[in-house]
mmCIF file of all heavy atoms in Angstrom:
data_model
loop_
_atom_site.group_PDB
_atom_site.id
_atom_site.type_symbol
_atom_site.label_atom_id
_atom_site.label_comp_id
_atom_site.label_asym_id
_atom_site.label_seq_id
_atom_site.Cartn_x
_atom_site.Cartn_y
_atom_site.Cartn_z
ATOM 1 N N PRO W 1147 -3.434 0.690 -3.300
ATOM 2 C CA PRO W 1147 -2.446 -0.192 -3.783
ATOM 3 C C PRO W 1147 -1.605 0.435 -4.894
ATOM 4 O O PRO W 1147 -1.929 1.251 -5.588
ATOM 5 C CB PRO W 1147 -3.325 -1.392 -4.400
ATOM 6 C CG PRO W 1147 -4.700 -1.134 -3.901
ATOM 7 C CD PRO W 1147 -4.830 0.361 -3.689
ATOM 8 N N ARG W 1148 -0.293 -0.054 -4.832
ATOM 9 C CA ARG W 1148 0.617 0.380 -5.876
ATOM 10 C C ARG W 1148 0.137 0.316 -7.274
ATOM 11 O O ARG W 1148 0.198 1.152 -8.145
ATOM 12 C CB ARG W 1148 1.930 -0.413 -5.758
ATOM 13 C CG ARG W 1148 3.037 0.027 -6.719
ATOM 14 C CD ARG W 1148 4.242 -0.795 -6.572
ATOM 15 N NE ARG W 1148 5.287 -0.588 -7.536
ATOM 16 C CZ ARG W 1148 6.544 -0.307 -7.255
ATOM 17 N NH1 ARG W 1148 6.979 -0.509 -6.049
ATOM 18 N NH2 ARG W 1148 7.360 -0.050 -8.249
ATOM 19 N N SER W 1149 -0.577 -0.788 -7.535
ATOM 20 C CA SER W 1149 -1.155 -1.075 -8.965
ATOM 21 C C SER W 1149 -2.103 0.009 -9.266
ATOM 22 O O SER W 1149 -2.205 0.419 -10.458
ATOM 23 C CB SER W 1149 -1.761 -2.483 -8.969
ATOM 24 O OG SER W 1149 -2.773 -2.625 -7.993
ATOM 25 N N GLU W 1150 -2.907 0.527 -8.373
ATOM 26 C CA GLU W 1150 -3.872 1.578 -8.681
ATOM 27 C C GLU W 1150 -3.155 2.907 -8.876
ATOM 28 O O GLU W 1150 -3.519 3.602 -9.848
ATOM 29 C CB GLU W 1150 -4.858 1.716 -7.534
ATOM 30 C CG GLU W 1150 -5.892 2.668 -7.784
ATOM 31 C CD GLU W 1150 -7.058 2.791 -6.662
ATOM 32 O OE1 GLU W 1150 -6.961 1.996 -5.728
ATOM 33 O OE2 GLU W 1150 -7.772 3.749 -6.695
ATOM 34 N N CYS W 1151 -2.114 3.079 -8.056
ATOM 35 C CA CYS W 1151 -1.345 4.346 -8.237
ATOM 36 C C CYS W 1151 -0.697 4.405 -9.608
ATOM 37 O O CYS W 1151 -0.506 5.494 -10.172
ATOM 38 C CB CYS W 1151 -0.339 4.502 -7.145
ATOM 39 S SG CYS W 1151 -1.035 4.798 -5.494
ATOM 40 N N HIS W 1152 -0.277 3.304 -10.083
ATOM 41 C CA HIS W 1152 0.415 3.217 -11.434
ATOM 42 C C HIS W 1152 -0.441 2.838 -12.533
ATOM 43 O O HIS W 1152 0.062 2.648 -13.660
ATOM 44 C CB HIS W 1152 1.615 2.171 -11.372
ATOM 45 C CG HIS W 1152 2.737 2.642 -10.469
ATOM 46 N ND1 HIS W 1152 4.023 2.151 -10.626
ATOM 47 C CD2 HIS W 1152 2.860 3.639 -9.530
ATOM 48 C CE1 HIS W 1152 4.910 2.751 -9.804
ATOM 49 N NE2 HIS W 1152 4.130 3.734 -9.119
ATOM 50 N N GLY W 1153 -1.707 2.675 -12.307
ATOM 51 C CA GLY W 1153 -2.628 2.253 -13.283
ATOM 52 C C GLY W 1153 -3.483 3.367 -14.045
ATOM 53 O O GLY W 1153 -4.431 3.023 -14.588
ATOM 54 N N GLY W 1154 -3.048 4.530 -13.984
ATOM 55 C CA GLY W 1154 -3.675 5.619 -14.593
ATOM 56 C C GLY W 1154 -4.597 6.385 -13.748
ATOM 57 O O GLY W 1154 -5.301 7.330 -14.252
ATOM 58 N N SER W 1155 -4.691 6.060 -12.432
ATOM 59 C CA SER W 1155 -5.653 6.761 -11.545
ATOM 60 C C SER W 1155 -5.211 8.165 -11.250
ATOM 61 O O SER W 1155 -6.069 9.055 -10.950
ATOM 62 C CB SER W 1155 -5.752 6.030 -10.211
ATOM 63 O OG SER W 1155 -4.595 6.130 -9.546
ATOM 64 N N MET W 1156 -3.914 8.407 -11.515
ATOM 65 C CA MET W 1156 -3.249 9.715 -11.210
ATOM 66 C C MET W 1156 -3.422 10.135 -9.799
ATOM 67 O O MET W 1156 -3.298 11.381 -9.427
ATOM 68 C CB MET W 1156 -3.891 10.841 -12.156
ATOM 69 C CG MET W 1156 -3.743 10.481 -13.655
ATOM 70 S SD MET W 1156 -2.056 9.980 -14.204
ATOM 71 C CE MET W 1156 -1.363 11.581 -14.401
ATOM 72 N N LEU W 1157 -3.481 9.156 -8.810
ATOM 73 C CA LEU W 1157 -3.440 9.441 -7.428
ATOM 74 C C LEU W 1157 -2.012 9.869 -7.011
ATOM 75 O O LEU W 1157 -1.094 9.208 -7.413
ATOM 76 C CB LEU W 1157 -3.845 8.161 -6.722
ATOM 77 C CG LEU W 1157 -5.267 7.628 -6.720
ATOM 78 C CD1 LEU W 1157 -5.406 6.361 -6.162
ATOM 79 C CD2 LEU W 1157 -6.190 8.721 -6.036
ATOM 80 N N LEU W 1158 -1.887 10.974 -6.406
ATOM 81 C CA LEU W 1158 -0.655 11.544 -6.063
ATOM 82 C C LEU W 1158 -0.047 10.712 -4.858
ATOM 83 O O LEU W 1158 -0.679 10.620 -3.790
ATOM 84 C CB LEU W 1158 -0.857 13.062 -5.699
ATOM 85 C CG LEU W 1158 0.434 13.815 -5.400
ATOM 86 C CD1 LEU W 1158 1.392 13.864 -6.527
ATOM 87 C CD2 LEU W 1158 0.111 15.205 -4.960
ATOM 88 N N HIS W 1159 1.128 10.206 -5.099
ATOM 89 C CA HIS W 1159 1.817 9.266 -4.007
ATOM 90 C C HIS W 1159 3.254 9.828 -3.906
ATOM 91 O O HIS W 1159 3.938 10.229 -4.919
ATOM 92 C CB HIS W 1159 1.706 7.915 -4.352
ATOM 93 C CG HIS W 1159 2.211 7.429 -5.738
ATOM 94 N ND1 HIS W 1159 1.622 7.752 -6.907
ATOM 95 C CD2 HIS W 1159 3.376 6.839 -6.004
ATOM 96 C CE1 HIS W 1159 2.277 7.284 -7.952
ATOM 97 N NE2 HIS W 1159 3.410 6.768 -7.376
ATOM 98 N N PRO W 1160 3.906 9.694 -2.723
ATOM 99 C CA PRO W 1160 5.201 10.214 -2.529
ATOM 100 C C PRO W 1160 6.311 9.201 -2.886
ATOM 101 O O PRO W 1160 6.151 7.909 -2.761
ATOM 102 C CB PRO W 1160 5.258 10.471 -1.039
ATOM 103 C CG PRO W 1160 4.299 9.507 -0.410
ATOM 104 C CD PRO W 1160 3.182 9.332 -1.482
ATOM 105 N N VAL W 1161 7.373 9.734 -3.469
ATOM 106 C CA VAL W 1161 8.578 9.007 -3.736
ATOM 107 C C VAL W 1161 9.763 9.819 -3.243
ATOM 108 O O VAL W 1161 9.695 11.008 -3.059
ATOM 109 C CB VAL W 1161 8.682 8.744 -5.294
ATOM 110 C CG1 VAL W 1161 7.576 7.931 -5.827
ATOM 111 C CG2 VAL W 1161 8.819 10.041 -6.053
ATOM 112 N N VAL W 1162 10.882 9.086 -3.197
ATOM 113 C CA VAL W 1162 12.137 9.730 -2.706
ATOM 114 C C VAL W 1162 13.179 9.589 -3.860
ATOM 115 O O VAL W 1162 13.153 8.524 -4.560
ATOM 116 C CB VAL W 1162 12.728 9.136 -1.433
ATOM 117 C CG1 VAL W 1162 11.781 9.552 -0.231
ATOM 118 C CG2 VAL W 1162 12.876 7.561 -1.454
ATOM 119 N N HIS W 1163 13.992 10.531 -4.070
ATOM 120 C CA HIS W 1163 15.115 10.520 -4.959
ATOM 121 C C HIS W 1163 16.333 10.912 -4.208
ATOM 122 O O HIS W 1163 16.291 11.886 -3.441
ATOM 123 C CB HIS W 1163 14.915 11.547 -6.113
ATOM 124 C CG HIS W 1163 13.861 11.114 -7.146
ATOM 125 N ND1 HIS W 1163 13.537 11.894 -8.082
ATOM 126 C CD2 HIS W 1163 13.050 9.994 -7.243
ATOM 127 C CE1 HIS W 1163 12.479 11.321 -8.907
ATOM 128 N NE2 HIS W 1163 12.223 10.166 -8.273
ATOM 129 N N LEU W 1164 17.411 10.126 -4.484
ATOM 130 C CA LEU W 1164 18.685 10.537 -3.882
ATOM 131 C C LEU W 1164 19.687 10.668 -5.114
ATOM 132 O O LEU W 1164 19.977 9.664 -5.723
ATOM 133 C CB LEU W 1164 19.252 9.511 -2.884
ATOM 134 C CG LEU W 1164 20.639 9.789 -2.333
ATOM 135 C CD1 LEU W 1164 20.652 11.119 -1.462
ATOM 136 C CD2 LEU W 1164 21.096 8.691 -1.431
ATOM 137 N N HIS W 1165 20.240 11.836 -5.165
ATOM 138 C CA HIS W 1165 21.296 12.167 -6.207
ATOM 139 C C HIS W 1165 22.590 12.094 -5.435
ATOM 140 O O HIS W 1165 22.797 12.707 -4.423
ATOM 141 C CB HIS W 1165 21.151 13.422 -6.930
ATOM 142 C CG HIS W 1165 19.836 13.550 -7.662
ATOM 143 N ND1 HIS W 1165 19.854 13.146 -8.924
ATOM 144 C CD2 HIS W 1165 18.646 13.931 -7.314
ATOM 145 C CE1 HIS W 1165 18.565 13.332 -9.413
ATOM 146 N NE2 HIS W 1165 17.793 13.852 -8.404
ATOM 147 N N VAL W 1166 23.475 11.184 -5.946
ATOM 148 C CA VAL W 1166 24.788 10.949 -5.332
ATOM 149 C C VAL W 1166 25.813 11.627 -6.194
ATOM 150 O O VAL W 1166 25.939 11.315 -7.416
ATOM 151 C CB VAL W 1166 25.081 9.475 -5.137
ATOM 152 C CG1 VAL W 1166 26.435 9.347 -4.533
ATOM 153 C CG2 VAL W 1166 24.007 8.846 -4.248
ATOM 154 N N ILE W 1167 26.589 12.546 -5.618
ATOM 155 C CA ILE W 1167 27.648 13.238 -6.350
ATOM 156 C C ILE W 1167 29.022 12.965 -5.741
ATOM 157 O O ILE W 1167 29.115 12.821 -4.398
ATOM 158 C CB ILE W 1167 27.357 14.750 -6.283
ATOM 159 C CG1 ILE W 1167 28.291 15.521 -7.282
ATOM 160 C CG2 ILE W 1167 27.350 15.307 -4.986
ATOM 161 C CD1 ILE W 1167 27.851 16.943 -7.533
ATOM 162 N N ASN W 1168 30.054 12.823 -6.524
ATOM 163 C CA ASN W 1168 31.385 12.603 -5.961
ATOM 164 C C ASN W 1168 32.081 13.957 -5.865
ATOM 165 O O ASN W 1168 31.709 14.961 -6.322
ATOM 166 C CB ASN W 1168 32.111 11.554 -6.716
ATOM 167 C CG ASN W 1168 32.438 11.921 -8.159
ATOM 168 O OD1 ASN W 1168 32.401 13.106 -8.603
ATOM 169 N ND2 ASN W 1168 32.744 10.920 -8.947
ATOM 170 N N ASN W 1169 33.291 13.980 -5.289
ATOM 171 C CA ASN W 1169 34.051 15.194 -5.160
ATOM 172 C C ASN W 1169 34.607 15.703 -6.386
ATOM 173 O O ASN W 1169 34.970 16.923 -6.482
ATOM 174 C CB ASN W 1169 35.147 14.958 -4.092
ATOM 175 C CG ASN W 1169 34.584 14.866 -2.683
ATOM 176 O OD1 ASN W 1169 33.837 15.769 -2.325
ATOM 177 N ND2 ASN W 1169 34.939 13.955 -2.009
ATOM 178 N N ALA W 1170 34.500 14.974 -7.472
ATOM 179 C CA ALA W 1170 34.858 15.544 -8.865
ATOM 180 C C ALA W 1170 33.675 16.208 -9.460
ATOM 181 O O ALA W 1170 33.853 16.673 -10.575
ATOM 182 C CB ALA W 1170 35.330 14.349 -9.719
#
Side-chain angles (χ1 to χ4, degrees):
R1148 180 182 175 134
S1149 59
E1150 186 177 348
C1151 292
H1152 287 201
S1155 69
M1156 304 309 277
L1157 291 170
L1158 186 60
H1159 58 285
V1161 299
V1162 291
H1163 290 173
L1164 178 64
H1165 295 275
V1166 177
I1167 188 167
N1168 64 18
N1169 286 310

